[in-house]
């Protein structure tokens, strides 16, 4: 089980990234291609939701599952991160 210190170590490492190139290098080591694609898909979908796109168009553009899109949508509506950072 991960501790708060474990999560803090990850977040602190991310805070040290200063450029897109830094992010590419770090995340290519940290994540599998599938994991990185999944995260990217969620961010793109959140941006499309924030811009008013329909579920159908988002699924068509991103190939995201309806279940994952539903979760992203709930986070866009009720969460803090997507609205603040996208």
């Amino acid at each position: 089980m991960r501790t708060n210190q474990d999560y803090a170590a990850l977040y602190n490492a991310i805070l040290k990234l200063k450029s897109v190139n830094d992010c590419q290098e770090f995340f290519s080591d940290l994540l599998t291609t599938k994991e990185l694609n999944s995260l990217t898909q969620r961010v793109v979908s959140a941006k499309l939701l924030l811009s008013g796109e329909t579920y159908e168009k988002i699924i068509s553009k991103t190939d995201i599952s309806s279940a994952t899109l539903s979760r992203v949508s709930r986070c866009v509506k009720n969460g803090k991160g997507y609205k603040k950072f996208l």
Side-chain angles (χ1 to χ4, degrees), residues 41-86:
Q41 183 183 56
R42 289 175 185 213
V43 168
V44 169
S45 296
K47 288 176 82 171
L48 291 169
L49 284 168
L50 288 165
S51 72
E53 287 287 354
T54 65
Y55 270 37
E56 294 82 17
K57 285 185 182 178
I58 295 169
I59 290 169
S60 174
K61 288 180 181 180
T62 65
D63 200 33
I64 195 169
S65 74
S66 58
T68 302
L69 182 56
S70 178
R71 182 185 186 290
V72 171
S73 180
R74 280 193 308 276
C75 292
V76 166
K77 290 176 186 168
N78 304 316
K80 299 175 185 175
Y82 285 129
K83 287 180 191 172
K84 184 174 183 178
F85 297 104
L86 299 181

